[in-house]
Every structure is written in structure tokens, then in C-alpha cells.
Amino acid sequence: MTMSAIMTMSRNTGWIAGGLIVATVALTLTVAAEEPVPLSEIGRCWNVASLPPEARAADVTLLVAFDADGRPIRRSIHSSAPIAPEDTATRFAFEAARRAVVRCGEAGYDLPAEYVGTGQSAEITFSSPED
Amino acid sequence: MSRLPLRRILSAIAIALLPAMAAAQDSGPLRIEITEGVVEPLPFAIPTFIAETGGAADAAQDITRVIAADLRGTGLFREIPAEAHISTVTNFSSPVQYADWRAINAQALITGSVEASGNGQIIVRFRLFDVVAGQPLGDGLQFVGGADSWRRMAHAVADQVYERITGESGYFDTRVAFIAEDGPKNARLTRLAIMDYDGANVQYLSDSQNLVLAPRFSPDGGTLLFTRLLPDGTAGVFYMDLATIATRPLAQDPGTSLFTPRFSPDGGRIAFSISEGGNSDIFIETLASGQRTRLTSSPSIEASPSFSPDGSQIVFESDRTGTQQLYVMPATGGEPTRISRGSGRYGTPVWSPRGDLIAFTYQAEGRFHIGVMRTDGTGERLLTSSFLDEGPTWAPNGRVIMFTRETAGADGAPALYSVDISGRNLQRVAAPGMASDPDWGPQLSR
């Protein structure tokens, strides 16, 4: 069984034979939104299924800017407060929130004009959902 | 295979618009608070992997099915059946027809290929795609291994998919040690056994001549500790090298019993109980030197020690106050602190690999439960309830707990179950026959 060696090699070098590369970070998975939605409906894209309880209990606030079509500018999305590397609960909570913003904004958000393509950020807080 | 409801709305969407949107026009920032989300399995498609060589068709089919089963089994993913697929993937390198996958509401697409190299090895390649964004989700990856390792390669692919989507480590390329049971309830025969986490590749490691209990993996997965009933009626702790199945005992004095052993996270120490004259206490032995240190000296029953992930503390069960409760103490000795507060009995505590929670068995009012609490005893939550649930063990990512559930009555039989730490996705593990006392081993491909 040589799989472990391959995994080790890929983790150490980030490269394996065949030109295929290992990704080591969680990435965003988006879902379709067919028409602009109010920003207030992001909750329908906020899938907390994969969050551990500690992350569900963590509140996070995202600052988000929008392009001329009201779509969130991905590189603009950041936490309003620094997240310590060891604070995994908040990090997971932030990632889930970021996914929600991107998912629901595929067709743009229905926004006040001053937020559309101006670079002005909205502040979106995701607070502990209860089961 | 149990699944979460297709779309479970936690409750009506309740949004608190802090200042209303119109207020943003007064140059203040637009602030919105979201307080409700959804819990729904993510729909994915996984067309049967392409067989790149003539001899790889069966392996391609089998690997695809194992990956799909791994993902479905988490309760976080829902597979879109092949009958619903519009697009056909005939070449691993062909462009993905995203519109076809969007049309069937797939959010993730997994494609792959299997190549038999001719020297007894196979090469498994896969790619993961974000269908709506119309782009790959991470880069492709390939695994090379012996043809008999195809299940491990499938689990490794599923681990990668799980990790890329959830941000957490997967737990599919893992093994579980357990006690295989046979015979009537009043004359049960037991054997040590090991299997893949999903019940495949079962191996029996001992015969049923002696009662065996509580297998526990070393951190590297290469050794098991277990307890065996000895001919003189006492119990002893044994090591088993999983490569050779050779066993050797942990030293013990005549008339004493050793039980509930567990390795430290670095594998350099073991904690266990020694019972003599009706009293049992916790000891730690350093493996390199053989030095044995007594940690407790209470005239009561102390058992089931489990290390914190950094090895600095242990949690254990004790009836020193009259009822069985959970205590935490430094692994070097010191005063224990009681962490459980309920009126029932708490036992078999196990520290989470993440270090944040302790899983335990709880008995009250004739029912048994598997629960979790923070390491200071706060935040207690019961995840299961039945006639008999006991003996939790953590998946390496600290997200799933496996345990024994036994049914009531003379024909009652034990089986292995797993549950997410949220309390969702309770399901029976596909172990053969009667099975109990699981211990979830480390991630193999790390």
C-alpha cells in the first residue's frame, strides 16, 4: 500500500505526478440564485449543517462590497474583527457565512443604490441559529 | 442509509434589519443581522469513474460507489442518482458541461478515472467542481496503490471532497477496533476484531477462548491495547502488534486486575486502572522506562481514564462521592475536579480529539444516553437515548461519535451506531453480526 507515501508527498510538496495538485484549504461552494434577492434573505443560503456546535454558537460580522450588478465582490468579504488562528469555531462560522453571502448573491442583491458598484460595504452579522 | 430531511428550515426566516435599509441612505452603514439558517444536505453528482484501461471497469464502479456512500453517510450530502444525470462524462479531461449539472440541481460534481497499471497497481484520479460557479473546487488529485487498496483510495478521495467543502478533516480512511460477539446472551463469546469505519474488511484478531474487552488504538494505529479475562479470574491488559497479531501482557502483580487502558496522545504512556481488594485506582505507565505512577488513591472505584489531546490532563470516572461521576485531573497527579453535575451516573468518558468536548455514557431513570459536555462540565448535551447506549469513541475529526447500542430482552444484541455531535444522523454501523465496544482509529492517510 503506497497511498500513504503519496499522500505524504503531496502534503509536503503540494505536487504529485501527473500534474495534479492537492488543495489544502476549504473552498466556497456556491448555489444558484436566479434573480436578485433582498440582502435580508441570506439566511436561506446559510447552511449550518456542516458547522460544529461551537461554530454555530459563534457570532461573526462580515463586511461586504458589491459590484455594479449587486453581486458580492468575493475579495471584499472579510470579518469585521480579526480571527485568531486558533479560534477554529469562529473561523468555521466565518466560512459558512461567507459561503452564504456568495451563494445568495449569484444573481446580485436587491440593494440601496449607494451600495451598488460604489465599494461601500454592508455589515452582515450572522448570529447563533437555534435548533 | 439515513438522511437528513431534504430541506429542514429551522424555523421561519427571521431577520432583524437593524436600521432599516432606508436608513442607509443617511450615509450610515447598512447593517443586517441574520439569525436563522438552514440545515440541508448538499446535492452532489458523481458519475461512475471512467475506466482508463480494460481491467479497471469493476474497480471504477466500486470506487465510485464507496465515495458516494461515504459522503451520503455523513448526512451532509445528498447524491443525485445517475438516472437523473443529463451529461455523460466520457473523458476525465473533457470540459464539464456545467449547464447540464445545474439543470439537475447538482451543486458539486465529482469526476474521476481509474487506471490499472499492469503491475498490480491502480491509479485513481478525481476532480471536484462547483457547478454553479462553473469552476473546479480545488485542483485534481491522484492516488496510486495496490489493486487491493482500492477501498482506501476511495475513502481518501471522499476525505478530500469532504474537507474541501466543509473545511473539516474527513474520517473515511479510518479503521475501527471492536469486540465481535457470538452466542446467547448468558454465554457470550467474544473476539477482538478490526474493520474499516464503514464495516468493510473485517479481520478477527483473536479466538473466543477468553473474554476480551475494550480494544484501544495507539495514536499511530499500529498497536491495540485490550483487556482479557485471565484463567484465575483476574483481568490483564495486553498489547497487540497489528502487523504481526503478536500479543504481550502489561506487567501485573498476582491477585490484581488491570483494565480500561488507553494510550496517551503521543503514544509514550498508557493510563489504566488497577483493582485490588475491591478498590481500583488510576495509574500511568511510561512505556520507555516502565515507570508506573499512581494517580489516585481513593477508597472507591476509579476507572476509564482518557487523556486530553495535549496529554496534560486525564478525565476518568469515579464513585468517590457515592454516585459515578466524571473528574478531570493533571496527568502528573493532583487533586481531581468533578465536572459532571447530573443526578444520574456518568461513565466511560473520552476526550475529543479537538480537545473541546468530553463524550460520556449517562444513565438515569432506566435509560442510557451518549452525551457530550465541555471539559469544565458545562454545556452538557445528551445525543442519544435507548435501553442501553454506552462506550463512546470519537472519529479523528471530532465530529462523529460511535458507540454500542444493545436491545432489550433475552434476545437483546449489541450493535455499533454512530451519531453526529449535533445529535443528528444517528445510524447503525455496518459491522457484521453482534458488535460492541468500538474504538475509532486514527486517520490512515495523514
Side-chain angles (χ1 to χ4, degrees), chain A residues 6-69:
Chain A
I6 291 166
M7 291 294 287
T8 300
M9 180 173 70
S10 64
R11 293 222 172 254
N12 288 343
T13 66
W15 179 89
I16 59 174
L20 299 165
I21 302 169
V22 176
T24 57
V25 295
L27 301 169
T28 299
L29 201 70
T30 52
V31 297
E34 295 177 352
E35 57 188 29
V37 298
L39 204 55
S40 57
E41 292 190 11
I42 290 177
R44 77 187 197 191
C45 298
W46 185 26
N47 190 347
V48 297
S50 68
L51 289 181
E54 297 70 24
R56 289 191 191 198
D59 293 353
V60 291
T61 298
L62 277 58
L63 298 177
V64 187
F66 305 88
D67 66 16
D69 296 317

Side-chain angles (χ1 to χ4, degrees), chain B residues 37-303:
Chain B
V38 296
V39 176
E40 58 181 6
L42 185 146
F44 72 97
I46 180 167
T48 298
F49 281 15
I50 297 157
E52 300 280 13
T53 52
D58 288 347
Q61 175 73 27
D62 293 342
I63 287 169
T64 308
R65 289 299 88 216
V66 168
I67 296 167
D70 283 345
L71 296 174
R72 288 196 315 265
T74 65
L76 303 179
F77 301 90
R78 174 174 62 84
E79 183 183 11
I80 297 174
E83 302 77 50
H85 296 182
I86 299 169
S87 197
T88 303
V89 178
T90 56
N91 187 311
F92 181 61
S93 300
S94 295
V96 170
Q97 304 301 313
Y98 290 108
D100 289 348
W101 300 106
R102 285 190 199 107
I104 60 170
N105 195 34
Q107 293 182 25
L109 170 67
I110 305 157
T111 65
S113 69
V114 179
E115 177 183 342
S117 68
N119 59 357
Q121 292 200 315
I122 58 174
I123 302 169
V124 180
R125 300 183 179 92
F126 88 96
R127 287 194 172 99
L128 176 63
F129 298 92
D130 179 337
V131 172
V132 175
Q135 63 188 29
L137 197 58
D139 297 297
L141 177 62
Q142 72 175 16
F143 299 91
V144 181
D148 57 353
S149 303
W150 68 268
R151 290 191 71 92
R152 281 201 57 199
M153 287 187 271
H155 291 318
V157 171
D159 279 330
Q160 284 287 324
V161 172
Y162 180 95
E163 187 168 328
R164 293 180 191 191
I165 293 176
T166 69
E168 298 182 286
S169 300
Y171 53 86
F172 310 121
D173 188 18
T174 58
R175 294 190 295 179
V176 173
F178 65 101
I179 300 298
E181 300 192 21
D182 197 11
K185 199 167 189 175
N186 60 358
R188 206 52 68 70
L189 301 174
T190 60
R191 288 185 289 174
L192 282 176
I194 192 169
M195 64 183 187
D196 294 352
Y197 98 99
D198 59 357
N201 290 326
V202 176
Q203 294 176 268
Y204 296 100
L205 306 174
S206 71
D207 59 31
S208 54
Q209 287 190 328
N210 301 99
L211 182 72
V212 287
L213 301 164
R216 301 289 181 254
F217 275 106
S218 59
D220 66 2
T223 304
L224 279 183
L225 285 170
F226 65 98
T227 303
R228 176 189 288 165
L229 193 64
L230 303 174
D232 66 359
T234 63
V237 167
F238 291 77
Y239 297 90
M240 174 178 282
D241 182 330
L242 287 172
T244 63
I245 315 299
T247 62
R248 62 184 173 85
L250 190 64
Q252 70 185 101
D253 294 329
T256 64
S257 283
L258 277 55
F259 58 101
T260 61
R262 199 177 289 273
F263 279 100
S264 63
D266 64 2
R269 295 169 292 167
I270 60 168
F272 55 98
S273 288
I274 298 180
S275 174
E276 184 173 19
N279 176 44
S280 69
D281 281 301
I282 307 286
F283 290 74
I284 285 184
E285 182 165 316
T286 302
L287 299 183
S289 65
Q291 180 183 2
R292 190 171 288 184
T293 304
R294 173 191 286 268
L295 289 193
T296 65
S297 54
S298 176
S300 52
I301 296 175
E302 269 82 43

